C-alpha cells in the first residue's frame, strides 16, 4: 500500500508490518496481566514493534524505559510480599 492510500489511523504501516497487527500481539501478550504490568508490557512491545519504521533510536529508548519500569515494579512487588 502506498503512502497516499495508507490508513494512518486504523492500520498504519508501522503497526501492521509482517501481516500481524501490533494491537493483536499486545492483546495476546498481556493476557493475565493487570495495571502497570499490562501497561509496561504493552508499551515495550509497541515500541519494539515500530522502532525501525517510525521512531528509530527514540523508540528503542522508550522500550527500554518501560522495561526498566516493569522490572522495578516486579522487584517492588516481591519486596512487599516478604
Amino acid at each position: 500500500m502506498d503512502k497516499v492510500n495508507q490508513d494512518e489511523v486504523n492500520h498504519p504501516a508501522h503497526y501492521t508490518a509482517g501481516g500481524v497487527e501490533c494491537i493483536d500481539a499486545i492483546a495476546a501478550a498481556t493476557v493475565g496481566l493487570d495495571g502497570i504490568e499490562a501497561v509496561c508490557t504493552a508499551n515495550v512491545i509497541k515500541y519494539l514493534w515500530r522502532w525501525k519504521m517510525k521512531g528509530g533510536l527514540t523508540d528503542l529508548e522508550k522500550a527500554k524505559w518501560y522495561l526498566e519500569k516493569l522490572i522495578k515494579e516486579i522487584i517492588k512487588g516481591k519486596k512487599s510480599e516478604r
Side-chain angles (χ1 to χ4, degrees), residues 24-59:
D24 295 329
I26 289 171
T30 57
V31 168
L33 300 179
D34 294 315
I36 196 71
E37 290 180 2
V39 170
C40 289
T41 300
N43 280 315
V44 168
I45 294 167
K46 174 182 75 173
Y47 288 120
L48 289 176
W49 194 280
R50 72 181 207 183
W51 80 269
K52 190 70 169 179
M53 295 185 72
K54 187 166 188 213
L57 181 59
T58 299
D59 276 356

Side-chain angles (χ1 to χ4, degrees), residues 6-20:
Q6 192 174 67
D7 185 342
E8 290 295 325
V9 174
N10 296 301
H11 303 287
H14 56 274
Y15 287 135
T16 57
V20 175

Side-chain angles (χ1 to χ4, degrees), residues 71-82:
I71 290 167
K72 288 175 187 172
E73 291 294 323
I74 298 302
I75 290 169
K76 184 169 73 173
K78 286 186 183 281
K79 287 181 181 176
S80 68
E81 291 173 2
R82 293 180 189 171

Side-chain angles (χ1 to χ4, degrees), residues 62-78:
K62 289 177 181 181
K64 179 182 173 186
W65 188 93
Y66 280 103
L67 181 56
E68 289 174 347
K69 174 71 173 167
L70 178 58
I71 290 167
K72 288 175 187 172
E73 291 294 323
I74 298 302
I75 290 169
K76 184 169 73 173
K78 286 186 183 281

